[in-house]
Amino acid sequence: GISVTQMEGPVTLSEEAFLTINCTYTATGYPSLFWYVQYPGEGLQLLLKATKADDKGSNKGFEATYRKETTSFHLEKGSVQVSDSAVYFCALINTGTASKLTFGTGTRLQVTL
Amino acid sequence: KAGVTQTPRYLIKTRGQQVTLSCSPISGHRSVSWYQQTPGQGLQFLFEYFSETQRNKGNFPGRFSGRQFSNSRSEMNVSTLELGDSALYLCASSERQVNTEAFFGQGTRLTVV
């Protein structure tokens, strides 16, 4: 079936530390891949996306590369800030499912001073 | 350009009642999807509408229904509310139906007592 697996949280980092949140997926065809972020009490905000193999999505210092050979889309940031504290969701749209998003369970990131 | 607007932001209902939630998509967007977010089940797809037609449906009972109007605004209805329906309901709009990113509203927090 179609699924997205994210690393369990919470992830606690000190400010300026390097961040990696792992995401792997199971899908058919060539899915589009996304990272969304949710701040407390808010909806989801699109952070970045990649629509084909080897594409790199980037935004606000965050990056993720679409790796078809390992079915992965890991999120990275070189230096996190306290303001990055939020829940991060990896998601995909599978080929032929229009705009239906399948989400991972989310990873909570807590950044401390 | 205004974002996705969901009303109301918060609702408290009693078991057995019904509720209607509203979503106004980004201007020019014709696809609207609904998701339910709970701590136990995460983000789950409810249904998707494009040009007033339901194009995709998730695994929810028939008590959950929706519709889309000619101006792309959408409503979802839940009848005979159960305690387990307490959740954050998120609406997302997309410009096209296929392979395009979704933009989310802030959600409606429904509490069933």
Side-chain angles (χ1 to χ4, degrees):
Chain A
I2 298 163
S3 66
V4 177
T5 303
Q6 284 181 242
M7 61 188 288
E8 291 285 331
V11 173
T12 303
L13 294 173
S14 299
E15 199 170 48
E16 298 184 2
F18 184 85
L19 168 71
T20 299
I21 300 178
N22 290 338
C23 171
T24 57
Y25 66 89
T26 302
T28 58
Y30 300 91
S32 295
L33 303 174
F34 306 85
W35 277 100
Y36 281 87
V37 58
Q38 186 174 37
Y39 297 99
E42 300 290 322
L44 300 175
Q45 296 178 25
L46 177 65
L47 184 58
L48 52 83
K49 67 172 184 176
T51 57
K52 61 183 187 296
D54 300 324
D55 264 3
K56 177 185 281 189
S58 61
N59 186 28
K60 299 180 182 179
F62 291 90
E63 293 183 341
T65 301
Y66 188 145
R67 301 286 188 201
K68 190 161 177 64
E69 64 276 13
T70 54
T71 62
S72 65
F73 193 53
H74 305 321
L75 182 68
E76 296 182 335
K77 186 176 185 183
S79 176
V80 294
Q81 306 299 313
V82 172
S83 57
D84 294 326
S85 298
V87 180
Y88 292 81
F89 292 92
C90 185
L92 66 82
I93 294 177
N94 201 41
T95 309
T97 59
S99 54
K100 173 186 173 182
L101 283 157
T102 299
F103 287 92
T105 52
T107 302
R108 181 174 300 278
L109 170 66
Q110 181 73 43
V111 181
T112 59
L113 290 171
Chain B
K1 203 182 245 189
V4 179
T5 303
Q6 291 188 246
T7 56
R9 288 291 309 276
Y10 302 93
L11 267 179
I12 299 176
K13 290 287 188 179
T14 304
R15 270 182 304 175
Q17 287 187 313
Q18 76 164 15
V19 66
T20 299
L21 312 182
S22 180
C23 173
S24 293
I26 292 170
S27 178
H29 285 197
R30 296 168 62 193
S31 175
V32 174
S33 300
W34 290 87
Y35 294 83
Q36 182 196 64
Q37 185 178 25
T38 59
Q41 300 298 317
L43 282 152
Q44 292 187 286
F45 172 78
L46 279 156
F47 27 65
E48 177 200 357
Y49 288 86
F50 183 82
S51 293
E52 301 179 65
T53 302
Q54 187 180 92
R55 303 289 178 149
N56 220 334
K57 191 176 190 307
N59 287 332
F60 278 82
R63 300 184 297 106
F64 291 80
S65 63
R67 59 179 176 169
Q68 187 180 33
F69 302 96
S70 58
N71 62 357
S72 294
R73 191 177 70 85
S74 177
E75 290 181 345
M76 68 163 280
N77 184 76
V78 188
S79 62
T80 321
L81 284 165
E82 300 177 359
L83 295 179
D85 297 333
S86 296
L88 180 66
Y89 290 89
L90 292 164
C91 168
S93 80
S94 304
E95 189 173 358
R96 304 181 304 277
Q97 191 186 9
V98 180
N99 204 27
T100 181
E101 63 260 39
F103 296 89
F104 284 79
Q106 291 187 294
T108 294
R109 172 74 63 185
L110 172 65
T111 302
V112 182
V113 297

